[in-house]
Amino acid sequence: TSNAGWITVTAGATGTGSGTVSLSVAANAIDAVRIGTVTIGGQTFTVTQAAAAQASTACGAFSLSPAYQSVGAAGGPVSVTMTGTTGCARTATSNASWITVTSGATGTGSGIVSLDVAAYTATAARFGTVTVGGLTFILNQAGAVLDSRP
């Protein structure tokens, strides 16, 4: 007899003498170990089932370094280090037309995302973002300095 709803006796529930009892154990969908028992011939047998793998919990610990950076009007290369759990997928997507992801757009675990920032000729500063592994990297680009000589 099963004493847990997730353990089912599939064969050998009745009989005399020696025999085989077959059990079916349902998949564990919770993030906790569960323990159930089965009574066979007056003896109690314990079934311990591992917790379900929770990828979203395990992969939710990404971080960026730096999370914010300033560049001059000339633009150029910028690198962002993504730290995360080994085996967890990450992507990097630019949200500004003037910022291009040149390497590290996809990968797993920790890695470096390389960006190229286009030159800028306007005088007002501009801000753009890159989404890396669900986090936002902010880039501030300075405006061009105008020559005020006569």
Side-chain angles (χ1 to χ4, degrees):
T1 305
S2 172
N3 302 311
W6 49 275
I7 303 172
T8 305
V9 178
T10 58
T14 60
T16 57
S18 298
T20 301
V21 176
S22 297
L23 306 174
S24 175
V25 178
N28 188 356
I30 61 172
D31 190 23
V33 172
R34 62 183 179 180
I35 299 171
T37 60
V38 178
T39 304
I40 304 172
Q43 294 187 334
T44 302
F45 295 88
T46 302
V47 177
T48 303
Q49 188 177 35
Q54 298 293 320
S56 62
T57 300
C59 292
F62 283 111
S63 65
L64 297 177
S65 179
Y68 173 89
Q69 189 165 342
S70 294
V71 296
V78 173
S79 293
V80 181
T81 300
M82 174 96 186
T83 303
T85 306
T86 301
C88 294
R90 62 174 163 75
T91 60
T93 306
S94 173
N95 302 310
S97 61
W98 48 277
I99 304 171
T100 304
V101 179
T102 57
S103 69
T106 61
T108 58
S110 299
I112 296 174
V113 176
S114 298
L115 309 171
D116 185 57
V117 180
Y120 186 49
T121 57
T123 57
R126 64 181 174 178
F127 292 88
T129 61
V130 177
T131 303
V132 183
L135 302 172
T136 302
F137 171 74
I138 301 170
L139 192 94
N140 174 30
Q141 187 171 26
V145 177
L146 296 177
D147 187 355
S148 60
R149 291 180 284 172

